[in-house]
Amino acid sequence: MTAGDMTAANVTVEEVEALAADALRWLLGAARDTGGGGLAWPVRPSDADPDPMLYNGTAGVVPALLEAWRHFGDDAYADTARRAARSLADAVDDHPDDSLYFGLTGMALVLRTVQRELGDSAAGAAADRALGRVRTRFDGTRWGDLFELMGGNAGIGLGALAAGDPDLAVLALEPYARTAEATPSGVTWEFRRGVTERLHHISHGTLGIVYALASVGTDTGRPDLVEPARAGVADVVARDEAGPAGFLVPHSDPQYLPDLIERHSYGWCHGPAGDAQVFRLLRDTLAEPAWSDLADRCWHTVTHSGLPRRLRPGFWDNNGRCCGTSGVLALACDRMAEQGDAPHFARLLVADLAARATRDADGARWSNVEHRATPSDLEPQTGWAMGNAGIARELLRFVRVSQGGDPDYAFTWPDQPVVRRGLVQATDPIRPAGTDVTS
């Protein structure tokens, strides 16, 4: 299929579910046998070796398998998740990175989830080993050059908390209180050692640190962690360029890599789709009305940005969960479940994903675009960030939410708040299966 006029794309909920099943089939076909009953995934099928990381490797595939197991009731997905956990357990003792998205903390969280959901004691023991290694490699302030959510302390704190180690979570977050840099409106932090630019959003910037501080601080009764979170979000809010109806903050100041990165983004990683997740978390932890308003303003900006249309080269070239359409779909489904939002924009996103999928006898997959390269279509990826695991997981959730089912995921991602029930009753009923998702 190719992308066309999305207003004319008739995609039923049943067809979305079938697309997710085809995406899972292609994903399973890309698995590698690691010996001893283990399975692992490369980032791309052409890669020589598998990768264990949460961002775009095996650890990020497991949540999609658990989602499929719960959604379809097929134990084959659970068995595959167990086999994936074996390969992760084998990788724990040699993996060099400690972070949530790229290292041992993310692997530990997935292993802990397999223990909890599938009763796999070996996975639980491997999770303990992984977190133990993370703890021993802390230098008193950080775990290497990165100092943010994806690759640094903030993510380690969130992952440790979710994996059942609040002491490690606090250890990871305490350094932010003493390293905060004062700004005219609040505080900020360096995201990478020695880099002068300051990033603002959830993946690598201030809001990711805010999310971790607020989450760990409230969960562990540490107001001294919540206060720098307030100061950090104040700095970001002061940078808004789209108020009062919208919310749009630049990627970074000064602009980081200006030849490669646009000044503004709209997805989860560096834009209002991710900012809204932070404001949802602050709404739930700090219980102040202003956060809901900011989340609404983020959504206004997202829905009026023009995405998922590719308005110009480099504007919207990604289908994935981290930087593309699936990450926006996650927030759209949160809002449908929490606030009774009309499903029209979520349907638009799903129709775009359906139109851009490549489908054949091997299943379904997606090619992201690099407009500066020839050919511009990139090789499909397997994992959470840019590939099938992240996309299939969001498609399955869309099907459930559209049918009035459970909006919770089988695996709770540490930087996406769980749906808070009963905020607002639906004003536009979600249509049942068999209806056009774009009308």
Side-chain angles (χ1 to χ4, degrees):
M1 300 178 68
T2 59
D5 181 0
M6 287 177 287
T7 63
N10 296 316
V11 186
T12 66
V13 174
E14 292 92 346
E15 289 168 336
V16 176
E17 189 173 58
L19 176 61
D22 279 352
L24 290 162
R25 182 159 54 86
W26 183 86
L27 184 62
L28 293 175
R32 307 273 178 85
D33 192 326
T34 61
L39 282 179
W41 278 261
V43 176
R44 304 165 194 83
S46 66
D47 291 349
D49 299 311
D51 196 306
M53 73 173 67
L54 183 66
Y55 185 74
N56 55 6
T58 301
V61 171
V62 173
L65 297 171
L66 294 175
E67 199 70 32
W69 171 56
R70 191 182 73 168
H71 184 93
F72 292 110
D74 186 345
D75 288 342
Y77 290 114
D79 293 339
T80 305
R82 289 188 185 94
R83 294 185 66 188
R86 287 180 200 144
S87 78
L88 291 176
D90 290 341
V92 160
D93 295 324
D94 297 318
H95 195 69
D97 190 282
D98 297 299
S99 67
L100 174 63
Y101 274 97
F102 312 128
L104 287 172
T105 302
M107 294 160 64
L109 176 56
V110 169
L111 286 163
R112 181 74 74 219
T113 302
V114 171
Q115 176 195 16
R116 291 167 176 167
E117 296 296 321
L118 303 178
D120 190 321
S121 59
D128 292 337
R129 269 199 339 272
L131 292 175
R133 291 193 69 208
V134 172
R135 188 185 299 273
T136 63
R137 297 198 294 206
F138 180 55
D139 71 3
T141 300
R142 59 205 302 164
W143 279 269
D145 288 341
L146 288 172
F147 196 54
E148 28 71 302
L149 188 147
M150 279 196 156
N153 289 47
I156 290 173
L158 283 173
L161 184 68
D165 192 339
D167 291 339
L168 178 58
V170 169
L171 188 73
L173 270 296
E174 285 177 328
Y176 288 115
R178 64 176 184 269
T179 58
E181 303 167 357
T183 69
S185 301
V187 301
T188 189
W189 293 268
E190 69 172 358
F191 81 98
R192 183 188 291 272
R193 197 193 315 264
V195 175
T196 58
E197 295 89 349
R198 295 296 178 257
L199 276 60
H200 308 310
H201 299 278
I202 190 169
S203 61
H204 295 297
T206 300
L207 286 183
I209 296 169
V210 165
Y211 191 110
L213 286 166
S215 181
V216 173
T218 55
D219 193 88
T220 61
R222 291 288 300 266
D224 58 316
L225 300 181
V226 176
E227 286 311 305
R230 288 183 179 275
V233 75
D235 174 79
V236 176
V237 170
R239 299 175 188 270
D240 169 48
E241 298 177 0
F247 188 84
L248 187 64
V249 170
H251 173 279
S252 49
D253 288 297
Q255 177 68 6
Y256 182 63
L257 303 177
D259 295 336
L260 300 177
I261 298 172
E262 292 198 354
R263 178 78 171 142
H264 298 94
S265 301
Y266 295 89
W268 171 83
C269 49
H270 293 291
D275 300 348
Q277 299 291 5
V278 180
F279 297 139
R280 289 180 63 233
L281 183 278
L282 295 175
R283 174 203 68 197
D284 296 345
T285 56
L286 304 184
E288 297 164 0
W291 307 121
S292 290
D293 177 64
L294 284 164
D296 290 343
R297 287 167 53 187
C298 288
W299 191 236
H300 176 89
T301 293
V302 168
T303 55
H304 289 76
S305 67
L307 70 84
R309 298 192 304 276
R310 294 180 176 177
L311 300 178
R312 60 185 180 275
F315 170 72
W316 199 254
D317 291 340
N318 194 299
N319 305 291
R321 178 59 177 80
C322 176
C323 309
T325 303
S326 297
V328 181
L329 179 60
L331 178 60
C333 289
D334 288 333
R335 292 183 63 89
M336 288 164 62
E338 273 187 344
Q339 298 174 241
D341 270 21
H344 308 320
F345 196 75
R347 293 178 186 144
L348 184 69
L349 300 172
V350 169
D352 186 69
L353 289 170
R356 297 189 190 284
T358 297
R359 300 178 80 173
D360 56 24
D362 294 327
R365 63 272 190 197
W366 288 263
S367 295
N368 296 322
V369 171
E370 174 46 76
H371 67 282
R372 294 162 298 193
T374 303
S376 60
D377 283 352
L378 301 176
E379 181 180 356
Q381 295 191 21
T382 62
W384 172 84
M386 306 293 180
N388 275 40
I391 297 170
R393 182 171 175 264
E394 300 305 335
L395 291 175
L396 290 177
R397 187 188 186 218
F398 169 81
V399 170
R400 288 200 309 278
V401 172
S402 296
Q403 296 174 326
D406 187 353
D408 292 336
Y409 296 95
F411 171 93
T412 301
W413 218 262
D415 48 48
Q416 182 180 355
V418 297
V419 163
R420 182 177 168 189
R421 265 73 166 184
L423 283 181
V424 179
Q425 293 297 314
T427 56
D428 183 5
I430 298 171
R431 299 181 185 185
T435 58
D436 179 352
V437 298
T438 62
S439 61

